[in-house]
Amino acid sequence: MIPAIVYAIPFFVLLVVVEAVSYRFLPDDDERGYELRDTVTSMSMGAGSQVIGLPWKVLAVLAYAAVWSLAPWQLPVSSAWTWFLLFFADDLAYYAFHRAHHRVRVLWASHVVHHSSVRFNLSTALRQSWTPMTSLPFWLPLALLGIPPWMILLQQSISLVYQFFLHTERVDRLWRPVEWVFNTPSHHRVHHGSNNVYLDRNYGGILIVWDRLFRTFEPEGERVMYGLTKNIDTYNPLRVAFHEYASAWRDVRRAGAGATRRGTCSALPGGRPERGCEMPPLLVAYAGLVLLNLLGVGLHQEPLEWLTKPLLAPVLALYLWRLTRRGHPLVLAALAFATAGDVALLLSGAGAFAVGTACFLGTQVCYLVAFFRQGAAPYLRARPLLVMGCVVLWAAANAVLLPQLGALAWAVAPYSGALLTMAASAWVMGPRAAWGGAVFVSSDLLVGLGAAGVEFPGRPVLVMATYAAAQLLLTGAFAHTRTVQEVSNPTGWAAHRSAVPEAGAAGEAAGR
């Protein structure tokens, strides 16, 4: 199979010519534009990468096919969810590939080619590595998920075509929502910068949300200086392709013992600051589990749901425990009840639904008691409209849903009351907890609609997405507050509200 990117090459060359001509007739002193030798080198690197890449793709397809044949399921090509999974999984794989190739020297030796130009234009996009073999491990998991190999190659080509258009100074910042979600020329200019503040930032392919999630995002601010921290000052394609391998080999030969030599190959590239993932690893694991679970729900793959859903609450509990050291026993108990409820709701039947509801009633009660220990009682007394709104919502939801639930109504009515009380009480701990409570209510309303026989496209996925977000928000609220011993004797904000709730409310109103 010929990669789809090959068919786009004539258009790439044409667009390079168009952009170069635009600099001739519409020059800009703030933009570096084109230089003939630099452009020829970039085009030579692109041509070489295709010559080497075509036979390598044959081997890659064989590897993908072998792993795909071992997958526990093969995803249907006709399903929109398979393409949805492919888009996000490919983009996440590219983020992991790109980040690793900036942070591990032996991988950087392959990728440094793309950053070796001191100019930034469409021809820079064609300056590609002649050693593509380091990319394969990052996309093999997609085949293991059951995605056909030809789809993986197609999405890789789509991503590369998109990224071609990122390599330009001719496009300024785009509409803010676009800049927030997608990788744009502005974001990618930062990625190619050798300024210290821009090093190892904005790894995304099509989406920039991975950088925002994993804390590697940097907006464009100061003027970007393109190239390497130590430029190679050559237009020789062979030196451009292999100079870092030669440098790494020299360092390996100078190194002593075997462990030191291995460290030389795996160390950070020269000039790179130590920048670990600022997002806690347990939250990264949680995000991965949520994504896999949503894919399992959307693709109706029960084994994937069973593999991921029971782990969600325990991962959050471990995150809370490690962050607060002594933990919050009530929140840990809430997450334990949630784990039992998650398992029960994976089973079918009215009995399993009732058991799951009872478990989540325990979750809500634990959260509720934790919020009351933070001063929720006086907080709610000072806000009768909030309480009244929750009562009205509870009555309305029960009036609509309970007649449709039959024998399950006895379990749902008290649960919904505890849920709404928890959501109202969460406000005592600020916006994060308040949002967590509100999103939890939304998730369970979606569950109630399903139990009442109301279905619409994407409802199960929305249930899980909102549930996972709610648990993260609520746990995060407690993870960043005081320890349980301090909560037992509240001071500061909670104590002030407990003692003088009316004054606190008036003070907040004055502040707004």
Side-chain angles (χ1 to χ4, degrees):
M1 175 185 173
I2 299 177
I5 194 70
V6 173
Y7 298 105
I9 290 175
F11 299 98
F12 290 165
V13 174
L14 176 61
L15 289 168
V16 167
V17 173
V18 170
E19 187 185 44
V21 170
S22 78
Y23 278 106
R24 174 68 176 83
F25 293 100
L26 297 170
D28 189 322
D29 292 339
D30 292 331
E31 299 174 1
R32 299 208 63 180
Y34 282 76
E35 198 275 336
L36 181 60
R37 292 171 299 174
D38 179 84
T39 303
V40 169
T41 300
S42 294
M43 304 284 259
S44 300
M45 299 307 299
S49 73
Q50 289 304 309
V51 171
I52 297 169
L54 281 175
W56 169 248
K57 286 294 183 185
V58 175
L59 298 177
V61 168
L62 292 176
Y64 291 144
V67 173
W68 180 67
S69 67
L70 298 174
W73 53 74
Q74 274 77 45
L75 301 180
V77 176
S78 58
S79 171
W81 283 106
T82 303
W83 292 94
F84 178 85
L85 164 62
L86 172 64
F87 175 79
F88 284 98
D90 170 81
D91 211 58
L92 181 58
Y94 180 83
Y95 175 89
F97 154 83
H98 202 178
R99 180 167 181 162
H101 279 66
H102 273 257
R103 305 301 286 172
V104 179
R105 188 178 183 187
V106 70
L107 301 180
W108 171 247
S110 171
H111 184 64
V112 67
V113 172
H114 185 60
H115 288 263
S116 59
S117 175
V118 295
R119 296 175 183 273
F120 189 75
N121 51 55
L122 291 178
S123 75
T124 309
L126 306 180
R127 186 178 284 230
Q128 295 294 325
S129 170
W130 289 1
T131 54
M133 304 78 182
T134 56
S135 64
L136 181 62
F138 296 91
W139 274 269
L140 283 177
L142 276 66
L144 192 60
L145 285 174
I147 300 174
W150 70 268
M151 289 180 64
I152 297 174
L153 291 183
L154 177 61
Q155 184 58 38
Q156 286 177 338
S157 296
I158 292 171
S159 179
L160 287 175
V161 170
Y162 178 90
Q163 291 178 57
F164 172 80
F165 295 97
L166 301 177
H167 296 80
T168 181
E169 292 185 286
R170 305 257 81 179
V171 177
D172 203 352
R173 288 184 179 85
L174 302 178
W175 187 39
R176 183 172 295 180
V178 174
E179 293 277 340
W180 207 94
V181 176
F182 293 98
N183 199 4
T184 65
S186 174
H187 297 330
H188 205 58
R189 287 193 289 269
V190 166
H191 177 71
H192 275 258
S194 60
N195 315 48
N196 188 62
V197 69
Y198 292 155
L199 289 177
D200 299 329
R201 293 303 186 196
N202 300 3
Y203 297 113
I206 295 177
L207 301 175
I208 202 67
V209 293
W210 309 116
D211 289 283
R212 296 185 185 276
L213 179 63
F214 299 125
R215 308 291 178 84
T216 54
F217 175 74
E218 183 69 35
E220 187 176 19
E222 65 185 58
R223 183 174 180 177
V224 182
M225 303 300 294
Y226 302 109
L228 306 173
T229 54
K230 184 179 180 182
N231 289 308
I232 56 176
D233 298 323
T234 182
Y235 299 105
N236 184 330
L238 287 173
R239 286 190 61 195
V240 171
F242 301 112
H243 75 276
E244 183 62 21
Y245 285 110
S247 177
W249 176 245
R250 287 194 297 270
D251 290 343
V252 166
R253 293 188 64 183
R254 282 196 294 265
T260 305
R261 291 183 173 185
R262 288 193 297 272
T264 301
C265 291
S266 61
L268 295 174
R272 292 289 193 259
E274 286 282 357
R275 284 175 177 166
C277 180
E278 296 176 25
M279 186 176 183
L282 285 170
L283 291 191
V284 175
Y286 183 76
L289 287 171
V290 170
L291 179 60
L292 289 174
N293 184 264
L294 292 178
L295 294 171
V297 173
L299 295 168
H300 307 290
Q301 299 293 336
E302 289 190 10
L304 191 54
E305 293 184 63
W306 275 97
L307 184 66
T308 54
K309 191 176 181 181
L311 297 176
L312 295 177
V315 169
L316 285 180
L318 185 57
Y319 165 67
L320 178 66
W321 179 266
R322 293 195 64 179
L323 196 64
T324 61
R325 300 304 178 186
R326 288 169 289 184
H328 289 264
L330 286 169
V331 182
L332 296 176
L335 293 170
F337 276 117
T339 302
D342 286 337
V343 172
L345 292 179
L346 283 171
L347 303 171
S348 58
F353 183 83
V355 171
T357 303
C359 290
F360 276 104
L361 176 60
T363 295
Q364 306 307 341
V365 169
C366 288
Y367 277 136
L368 185 58
V369 174
F371 288 133
F372 267 70
R373 294 182 68 181
Q374 286 277 35
Y379 182 84
L380 292 176
R381 283 198 299 269
R383 289 157 179 80
L385 289 178
L386 176 61
V387 176
M388 188 178 302
C390 290
V391 171
V392 170
L393 180 58
W394 177 80
N398 285 334
V400 174
L401 295 178
L402 291 187
Q404 311 297 324
L405 296 177
L408 294 175
W410 65 269
V412 173
Y415 172 77
S416 59
L419 171 66
L420 286 166
T421 307
M422 182 279 294
S425 303
W427 284 79
V428 74
M429 288 185 63
R432 187 185 315 213
W435 274 109
V439 174
F440 218 133
V441 170
S442 301
S443 180
D444 282 333
L445 281 175
L446 292 168
V447 172
L449 289 173
V454 178
E455 279 295 346
F456 55 86
R459 186 195 64 83
V461 174
L462 284 174
V463 168
M464 274 309 304
T466 50
Y467 166 68
Q471 290 282 43
L472 178 61
L473 288 166
L474 290 171
T475 304
F478 283 96
H480 294 89
T481 190
R482 296 173 297 281
T483 62
V484 68
Q485 285 79 3
E486 294 169 311
V487 170
S488 301
N489 300 287
T491 58
W493 187 26
H496 175 71
R497 291 188 172 198
S498 300
V500 283
E502 293 80 5
E508 289 173 2
R512 287 193 291 270

